[in-house]
Amino acid sequence: MEITTRSIRSLAYRCEEFLDDRGEPLSIGYSGSLALCILDAIYSTGSHPTAVDNVADRYIARRGRADGAKSLRYSIAAAGGAEVWARKVIRNLKPANVQPGAMLRAEVVDRATRLMADHDIDTVDDLLAAVGDEPSTGRHANEVARGWWALPSQKSGISWRNLLMLAGSDHFEIDHRVQGYIGEVAGFFVVTTDDYVLELIDATADFLGVEGRVVKQIVWQVSHRRLLPDPKRESFVFPYGLEDELEPEAEGWDSVFDRELCAEAVDRNSTLGPEEDLGSDWMTPYSRPGTTGAAPF
């Protein structure tokens, strides 16, 4: 399916929220600490982003931002084991799954550090070098990836792909969440094949003047709810027909986001109705202020 100007600008608008004025990503990553990558990757599945931020912040308060996998393992051992470490250092006793008697995620973290030690991996650079260009999923996946999936409650591979995104890897898997997010951005009648997703991400990166890896990281973290967009901003949807107001050519995308032009197009298509009617419930899975729901850890 053809990539339209509208779909590129729509994804660019979503990504722009997570770029600073210099085009640097505001998405989550820890290029200087494999310890923080491991913590974030394991605690982020099924957790509210605030809970994961709290885990990382508490570890940083104790250990700083430069620990590798070896230092993380030493930290757990020095505290007296995973349970004591979970209670006293990161103050999070969340289990690895919802089954009665499930081990703590802190224990999974400890086992992940042992896996890294078995493969002589301590830093983010060590991890990226060990994974290299080998597949990170599937039957021919890298040996480190297979070892990670064998960790308790990690066989889905989501935490492994989280780890790679946090470490800044070029690996990017298009799963059902990514496809669903891109489908919402591009329009309900778009068939989001893998080729379409990759082509749209590349075109959007070119439009924004950033590396494709930056857009991939934002798309992954938003679609997997590690990043929560501003709900008011997220409700804005480019009207169908906006591409008629813009240049139809796919060559030489202007890297400057034209807000005035988009605003004029919205005014001319004001019959679409209130912005809040255009939102998508699945994009706001967590309780908001004033609603009921479990508080984050």
Side-chain angles (χ1 to χ4, degrees):
M1 182 171 286
E2 182 182 359
I3 302 296
T4 66
T5 302
R6 175 195 170 277
S7 61
I8 294 170
R9 296 208 175 200
S10 181
L11 182 57
Y13 177 80
R14 306 278 186 114
C15 292
E16 191 186 40
E17 181 178 356
F18 301 103
L19 297 172
D20 65 18
D21 294 339
R22 300 173 299 167
E24 295 296 321
L26 300 175
S27 49
I28 300 165
Y30 310 101
S31 60
S33 175
L34 185 55
L36 293 174
C37 289
I38 293 171
L39 285 175
D40 197 306
I42 290 176
Y43 277 91
S44 63
T45 54
S47 299
H48 192 286
T50 301
V52 189
D53 291 339
N54 288 340
V55 167
D57 290 344
R58 289 163 187 161
Y59 188 84
I60 291 170
R62 291 288 193 103
R63 304 281 307 181
R65 298 175 177 273
D67 272 4
K70 186 182 299 183
S71 294
L72 174 57
R73 187 177 183 185
Y74 289 163
S75 171
I76 295 172
E83 183 177 355
V84 179
W85 179 82
R87 195 162 7 97
K88 294 185 175 181
V89 177
I90 62 170
R91 302 202 298 278
N92 187 303
L93 294 171
K94 188 166 187 177
N97 59 62
V98 298
Q99 298 301 318
M103 68 170 59
L104 296 178
R105 293 198 184 200
E107 175 63 28
V108 182
V109 169
D110 191 30
R111 296 191 185 193
T113 64
R114 297 179 208 171
L115 170 67
M116 295 301 164
D118 290 343
H119 292 276
D120 198 26
I121 296 171
D122 185 36
T123 67
V124 169
D125 288 343
D126 292 340
L127 174 66
L128 297 181
V131 175
D133 295 329
E134 295 181 65
S136 64
T137 57
R139 59 189 298 185
H140 301 297
N142 176 270
E143 186 178 0
V144 183
R146 295 198 302 272
W148 186 281
W149 300 340
L151 295 173
S153 302
Q154 308 306 309
K155 65 180 179 180
S156 71
I158 296 296
S159 65
W160 170 252
R161 293 189 284 274
N162 285 342
L163 180 73
L164 295 181
M165 287 290 102
L166 293 164
S169 171
D170 288 331
H171 286 282
F172 178 70
E173 180 167 330
I174 302 168
D175 62 8
H176 71 283
R177 288 184 180 269
V178 171
Q179 285 185 325
Y181 178 70
I182 292 296
E184 188 212 0
V185 170
F188 294 108
F189 300 105
V190 173
V191 179
T192 54
T193 63
D194 287 2
D195 288 343
Y196 179 90
V197 172
L198 292 174
E199 187 177 347
L200 178 58
I201 286 175
D202 287 343
T204 302
D206 187 37
F207 177 85
L208 291 170
V210 300
E211 295 181 12
R213 176 179 54 81
V214 172
V215 177
K216 288 177 181 177
Q217 186 180 59
I218 293 171
V219 167
W220 174 268
Q221 293 184 351
V222 172
S223 63
H224 286 264
R225 300 168 189 172
R226 181 62 183 93
L227 290 173
L228 295 184
D230 181 339
K232 293 182 180 179
R233 190 175 193 274
E234 185 67 17
S235 67
F236 179 85
V237 177
F238 287 92
Y240 286 98
L242 177 60
E243 61 267 29
D244 296 334
E245 306 292 338
L246 306 171
E247 66 276 15
E249 300 296 331
E251 300 177 354
W253 302 110
D254 185 1
S255 62
V256 179
F257 190 75
D258 195 335
R259 296 180 181 278
E260 293 183 1
L261 183 56
C262 292
E264 291 175 3
V266 171
D267 290 339
R268 288 193 291 273
N269 289 272
S270 59
T271 57
L272 285 174
E275 291 179 358
E276 57 269 24
D277 293 339
L278 298 173
S280 178
D281 291 339
W282 75 272
M283 288 302 299
T284 56
Y286 304 109
S287 58
R288 298 182 184 176
T291 65
T292 59
F297 284 85

